[in-house]
Amino acid sequence: MHGIRREDVYKTPDEERAFAEKLEKGFKLLDSFVANVRESDSTVTSSSGLLGDTEEADRMFSLSTAIIEFMPEFYPSWHYRKNYLLQPRLGEERLRSLLSDELLFSESVLKTSPKCYAVWQQRLWVLTLMFNMRFDDVGDVLRKELSLCMMLFRLDGRNFHGWGHVNYVRHYLKLLESDDSSVQPVPVDKLCYAEFSKLIEKNFSNYSAWFHRGMLSETCGCISDDLDNLTPAIYTDPNDQCLWHHFDWLLYRRNALRYYLVRCHYFEESNSFVFFFNECVSLSTTDSFITVTSPDGNHSKLDGFWSPVSSSPRKNRLSTISVPEYAWRFTLKAPLSVNESTCISPSLMIETDERIVDSFYAHLRHMPKCHRASDIRDVQNPPPCLLCLRYKLHLSESVELPIDLDSLEFMRSNMVSCRGWEDLSGVLRAPVFLPGSSRIVSLGKDITPAILEQQLEMIDTLLGMGTESKYLHLARHKIRRHLGQPSDADECYKHVMRIDGIRARLHSDMLLLDKVQSALDASAAAGSTSANLSGMGLRRLPYRALSPHMTLESLDLSNNSLCDGSLLDIGLGLLLRLHTISLSGNGFKRLSSTLEALRNLTRLKREIDISDTPLASFLLEDSDKHGATAGVSHKCPILDGFEIHFEDPGSATSHNAQSSGRSAGSVTAVLRRAYGRPY
């Protein structure tokens, strides 16, 4: 197993013979256990749930101990021990003693099998039962368990069984802290933070320790101390990926607001507001609302309804499932009078996964097998935790609503009482504008330009020493962007592709997206509502590259490498003000995919340029069968409600002829939808 040869295990024939005898004895025990479970009356009956003969039950319990010592992965033996410990005939003192012995026994098994699923599950079950019964010393038992986990991590810092187990232990300790009004020696979060820090000091390449310590950053830690601890590790091994993951998290995501608006617009033709977020969000449509302030200072709640704006045709097929979306629309039931002093205040309630995580850890506590009483029922899941975002947006005559970050207020529903709201302004950091652009980005709490410049100096020092690391160049490029310095994208990715040639295509796409963002930012800075991304070699154009420029009216995507799959994830469906688009010179083959990706764009003109694409060639060949001629629009036989207009010189029926001067793959074609037919 795992590359260990048999001759490396058994050094002498006597050792091999002893192991064979052990196997023979162990399998006899297994046969005996299975036979007794099937034939004796000591199994659990479905009617009463009790074990039968007491002496036989005790004998089987001892037999299960011997079997586990031989084969810890044998689940039936652990299952029998659970049923034995749940017997009503066992008094509380006797049960307490047996559970303590079970912890000692499973600990001894873990020393020889530290990655056995069954052992960890049994140990967690014992702790859960002790927690539910609220033994007097359960807090001490859990703290000892936490110490044992830390001892394990010092021997094997990447044991994922242990990291999952320690999260349950921490969850139970936090519940005890909230239930007990007495002062605890050390809060469990601070205790875990200190222990995780010790693990990092021993091995700075322990990604699990970095991650779990980062989860405690809301209440523990200091940015200056974290960076001081991280810098020597980066100097030691600048190619360690987990260090740069944590470095990026410290600078840009530590205690930063996770969700926020990047754009908002009012559409007069549909009488609706559309809110664009930085991430896909699940908006609570029953709790979210918008108030408007009239010129005379009166406040009123707007009457309307919320609906998601689907960004992908794939998501649209899941009509019965609530899918998070980048954009949400609030449609008014009555027209809104727009003037310069109109101010709207949206209160956006976003469902987060914070309480879902607690519910996941709490699920085990409410399972019937984790209680001695037979009438225990599973409790209902708690309501989701809501993150409330409140803005004050001024609606101008141009129906633009610039995002005012100074007016942003954010809070979350109380995690303890499930009532009221908890202000997060002192815990999380609001997003900021990227210098020199209208992009809104997140920045870690307590991160200042001085800290960014200090980290940039550290990276420049390492590069000056001739250090070869792609992470140094990528981190340097990102810091320069957040400081508003001139872009060094070409130089950065040139070094990155040289160092990491295997992922050259990935880094090439990252460079293209960086150039797209720069081009869009420059276009917006000039006050233009059009963008020319022609001939850039784009294979994809995700939402994050387009935001916050969601008010583009004209977009040229010709002569790129886009295909049908690109359109499905391209985010074009959210450019709701787009009226002109060029898709010529790309690799589109399926007409249905092309039209489905553009179905949200109600302002789009009735003509779409699809020249020089495989799709245009296919439509031309299909039209050839029906005697179509160039320069004349004709109905598409395979697509009801649409017309194809070819502008190829000569007749469409002679497009393969030498006299036409054009190849089958070079066709000038425009797709037109019939009057009154939407995409």
Side-chain angles (χ1 to χ4, degrees):
M1 182 179 181
H2 299 298
I4 300 177
R5 297 177 301 175
R6 186 174 183 179
E7 54 267 25
D8 293 335
V9 178
Y10 314 115
K11 300 299 183 182
T12 64
D14 292 338
E15 291 180 358
E16 185 175 0
R17 193 179 307 109
F19 184 75
E21 293 176 356
K22 179 182 178 181
L23 285 180
E24 183 180 0
K25 180 180 179 181
F27 284 119
K28 286 182 179 179
L29 289 174
L30 287 176
D31 293 339
S32 175
F33 181 86
V34 173
N36 277 273
V37 169
R38 288 178 176 176
E39 299 173 4
S40 69
D41 295 329
S42 62
T43 56
V44 177
T45 61
S46 58
S47 58
S48 61
L50 303 177
L51 293 177
D53 187 0
T54 303
E55 294 183 0
E56 182 67 12
D58 294 341
R59 189 186 72 82
M60 290 287 291
F61 187 80
S62 301
L63 181 60
S64 68
T65 302
I67 290 175
I68 290 171
E69 291 175 348
F70 165 68
M71 184 183 292
E73 298 85 358
F74 190 64
Y75 274 92
S77 57
W78 292 108
H79 181 67
Y80 185 89
R81 298 174 76 86
K82 289 186 178 71
N83 291 327
Y84 182 88
L85 294 172
L86 289 174
Q87 294 179 95
R89 68 181 178 88
L90 299 177
E92 184 172 329
E93 291 299 325
R94 174 62 175 161
L95 177 60
R96 184 198 302 265
S97 176
L98 287 175
L99 291 177
S100 299
D101 293 342
E102 190 73 1
L103 287 177
L104 293 175
F105 173 64
S106 60
E107 181 181 345
S108 65
V109 178
L110 281 176
K111 292 179 180 179
T112 57
S113 303
K115 295 186 178 181
C116 179
Y117 285 90
V119 185
W120 285 104
Q121 291 171 6
Q122 179 75 2
R123 192 168 184 84
L124 179 58
W125 176 83
V126 171
L127 292 173
T128 304
L129 185 60
M130 297 178 72
F131 177 84
N132 286 338
M133 297 187 67
R134 287 298 196 275
F135 289 151
D136 295 336
D137 59 344
V138 65
D140 296 334
V141 172
L142 290 172
R143 288 182 178 273
K144 181 181 178 182
E145 188 73 9
L146 193 62
S147 300
L148 289 174
C149 290
M150 299 306 165
M151 187 183 302
L152 168 68
F153 295 148
R154 295 187 188 99
L155 300 175
D156 182 9
R158 299 186 179 183
N159 189 316
F160 66 92
H161 301 276
W163 284 110
H165 186 77
V166 80
N167 285 328
Y168 276 103
V169 176
R170 175 174 163 265
H171 173 74
Y172 291 159
L173 283 171
K174 287 180 69 67
L175 289 178
L176 289 178
E177 286 182 355
S178 60
D179 294 343
D180 191 0
S181 58
S182 60
V183 179
Q184 299 293 330
V186 180
V188 60
D189 282 351
K190 290 187 177 180
L191 179 62
C192 290
Y193 189 90
E195 293 294 336
F196 296 157
S197 299
K198 293 178 182 178
L199 295 175
I200 292 172
E201 291 175 1
K202 180 181 178 182
N203 178 16
F204 58 76
S205 189
N206 191 334
Y207 182 84
S208 297
W210 284 112
F211 174 79
H212 283 82
R213 194 181 76 156
M215 298 294 289
L216 305 174
S217 63
E218 277 195 16
T219 56
C220 308
C222 172
I223 184 62
S224 58
D225 293 341
D226 287 346
L227 289 174
D228 290 342
N229 293 331
L230 190 61
T231 301
I234 292 177
Y235 270 95
T236 304
D237 187 2
N239 285 297
D240 193 327
Q241 187 178 21
C242 79
L243 298 179
W244 291 104
H245 271 293
H246 193 70
F247 180 83
D248 187 85
W249 177 84
L250 282 176
L251 295 186
Y252 309 112
R253 299 191 301 277
R254 176 185 177 270
N255 290 8
L257 188 63
R258 183 177 177 183
Y259 304 111
Y260 47 85
L261 285 180
V262 295
R263 195 78 179 191
C264 180
H265 190 77
Y266 177 66
F267 292 86
E268 291 182 295
E269 63 272 20
S270 60
N271 199 29
S272 63
F273 293 95
V274 178
F275 299 90
F276 299 93
F277 294 87
N278 66 311
E279 299 281 354
C280 286
V281 301
S282 294
L283 196 69
S284 177
T285 57
T286 57
D287 299 311
S288 302
F289 61 91
I290 300 177
T291 58
V292 61
T293 304
S294 60
D296 54 3
N298 294 326
H299 303 276
S300 60
K301 188 175 179 180
L302 294 179
D303 190 14
F305 60 91
W306 292 92
S307 60
V309 181
S310 180
S311 58
S312 172
R314 292 173 179 171
K315 293 181 180 179
N316 188 49
R317 298 169 189 167
L318 305 174
S319 56
T320 60
I321 302 177
S322 178
V323 180
E325 289 289 355
Y326 284 110
W328 288 79
R329 184 192 301 272
F330 184 80
T331 305
L332 300 173
K333 293 184 178 180
L336 179 67
S337 58
V338 179
N339 54 64
E340 295 182 356
S341 58
T342 302
C343 176
I344 69 166
S345 300
S347 294
L348 308 171
M349 309 295 179
I350 301 173
E351 297 181 1
T352 66
D353 57 359
E354 294 180 62
R355 190 166 284 128
I356 295 177
V357 174
D358 288 341
S359 177
F360 169 78
Y361 289 118
H363 178 70
L364 179 65
R365 294 187 290 112
H366 302 292
M367 296 181 67
K369 280 283 186 180
C370 295
H371 295 266
R372 297 196 72 189
S374 59
D375 58 346
I376 295 297
R377 296 291 184 269
D378 195 5
V379 297
Q380 296 293 329
N381 289 329
C385 180
L386 296 179
L387 173 66
C388 176
L389 303 179
R390 289 180 179 173
Y391 290 86
K392 290 183 179 179
L393 309 176
H394 293 275
L395 186 62
S396 62
E397 292 291 343
S398 61
V399 296
E400 290 285 349
L401 290 98
I403 303 297
D404 183 8
L405 294 180
D406 294 333
S407 68
L408 173 60
E409 299 177 4
F410 45 95
M411 58 202 75
R412 68 181 170 196
S413 54
N414 195 290
M415 296 287 289
V416 178
S417 64
C418 298
R419 294 181 179 179
W421 294 90
E422 177 186 358
D423 185 16
L424 297 178
S425 58
V427 179
L428 303 180
R429 179 172 183 171
V432 298
F433 282 104
L434 194 67
S437 73
S438 58
R439 293 185 181 274
I440 302 176
V441 296
S442 61
L443 200 61
K445 188 174 177 59
D446 301 326
I447 296 296
T448 62
I451 291 179
L452 292 177
E453 291 176 356
Q454 180 183 3
Q455 301 308 308
L456 183 61
E457 182 180 355
M458 180 266 292
I459 293 174
D460 287 337
T461 301
L462 281 170
L463 290 175
M465 297 166 57
T467 306
E468 287 287 317
S469 172
K470 66 176 182 179
Y471 304 110
L472 285 171
H473 294 283
L474 293 173
R476 182 177 185 271
H477 171 62
K478 192 170 183 177
I479 292 176
R480 285 174 59 89
R481 284 195 64 193
H482 280 75
L483 288 174
Q485 298 182 5
S487 175
D488 62 339
D490 290 326
E491 179 185 358
C492 168
Y493 286 101
K494 176 183 177 182
H495 290 293
V496 170
M497 285 185 279
R498 175 179 55 82
I499 297 172
D500 188 14
I502 296 178
R503 300 176 181 85
R505 179 169 178 174
L506 170 64
H507 300 311
S508 176
D509 287 344
M510 293 172 62
L511 174 60
L512 286 176
L513 293 181
D514 192 280
K515 291 183 176 180
V516 167
Q517 291 181 354
S518 300
L520 293 175
D521 291 344
S523 177
S528 175
T529 58
S530 62
N532 184 2
L533 304 179
S534 175
M536 298 185 68
L538 295 175
R539 285 187 287 267
R540 54 190 297 268
L541 190 62
Y543 172 82
R544 288 183 178 86
L546 291 172
S547 66
H549 308 292
M550 309 309 296
T551 56
L552 286 174
E553 297 180 357
S554 177
L555 182 61
D556 187 356
L557 292 174
S558 61
N559 301 320
N560 282 294
S561 301
L562 301 174
C563 60
D564 299 313
S566 303
L567 281 181
L568 292 177
D569 302 315
I570 201 171
L572 278 179
L574 297 179
L575 297 177
L576 302 180
R577 294 187 62 183
L578 196 68
H579 61 69
T580 303
I581 185 172
S582 176
L583 300 176
S584 63
N586 285 283
F588 304 121
K589 296 181 180 180
R590 295 194 301 271
L591 186 59
S592 58
S593 299
T594 305
L595 298 179
E596 182 70 12
L598 306 176
R599 60 187 168 79
N600 287 340
L601 309 183
T602 57
R603 293 189 177 189
L604 199 63
K605 288 184 177 180
R606 313 189 75 79
E607 297 183 351
I608 303 176
D609 188 359
I610 57 172
S611 304
D612 299 336
T613 65
L615 175 60
S617 300
F618 170 74
L619 293 176
L620 184 59
E621 292 175 2
D622 185 77
S623 301
D624 178 28
K625 301 176 183 178
H626 297 80
T629 57
V632 178
S633 299
H634 62 282
K635 293 183 179 180
C636 181
I638 62 173
L639 192 63
D640 182 33
F642 287 86
E643 297 178 345
I644 306 297
H645 184 84
F646 296 104
E647 299 177 359
D648 194 42
S651 66
T653 57
S654 60
H655 65 277
N656 286 325
Q658 296 291 335
S659 59
S660 65
R662 298 176 65 95
S663 64
S666 179
V667 181
T668 303
V670 176
L671 178 66
R672 294 175 177 173
R673 56 178 174 177
Y675 181 77
R677 295 296 299 267
Y679 285 112

